[in-house]
Amino acid sequence: MARQRKLYAWLCDHSVACFVLLTVSFLVFGKLSFDLIHLFSANADYLLDNGWIGLMEGGLQQLLELLATSCGAMIAYLLFKLCENALVERLRHRQNE
């Protein structure tokens, strides 16, 4: 818990680095999540049409890769929200001074 607070405090103290990290995480999230719903749908159709053979011919591997991509996109989104929150916190404290 203390490590998360230190990271958050560091992000609040270094607004330029936080903004750069926010931008990078936004781009990573966009890249990873682009067309993800369509790919999941196509994979599900393939697996439903081909059954066990579809699983053995790469459908399961593709499904696992899509799940890993989804997890990566979610991590990028959470990092984006953390940076966003840190920047808003810094702006709020600046306005109160």
Side-chain angles (χ1 to χ4, degrees):
M1 190 72 149
R3 273 176 57 181
Q4 288 108 353
R5 287 188 196 136
K6 286 181 182 179
L7 174 62
Y8 185 73
W10 187 87
L11 288 172
C12 287
D13 291 340
H14 298 87
S15 59
V16 173
C18 184
F19 184 77
V20 169
L21 190 57
L22 176 125
T23 303
V24 169
S25 63
F26 176 77
L27 293 172
V28 169
F29 172 72
K31 170 71 174 126
L32 292 178
S33 62
F34 181 74
D35 214 20
L36 203 54
I37 300 298
H38 176 70
L39 292 173
F40 265 115
S41 176
N43 182 263
D45 289 342
Y46 175 76
L47 292 176
L48 289 173
D49 288 344
N50 296 300
W52 183 252
I53 300 293
L55 280 174
M56 302 312 291
E57 291 293 322
L60 179 61
Q61 179 182 349
Q62 184 183 35
L63 179 62
L64 294 175
E65 290 170 359
L66 287 170
L67 290 172
T69 301
S70 298
C71 289
M74 192 51 55
I75 289 169
Y77 177 73
L78 290 174
L79 183 58
F80 171 81
K81 293 302 284 183
L82 177 69
C83 291
E84 176 193 33
N85 199 12
L87 287 172
V88 168
E89 182 75 18
R90 183 177 172 105
L91 288 172
R92 194 173 83 213
H93 281 293
R94 271 199 176 164
Q95 290 176 352
N96 291 338
E97 292 176 356

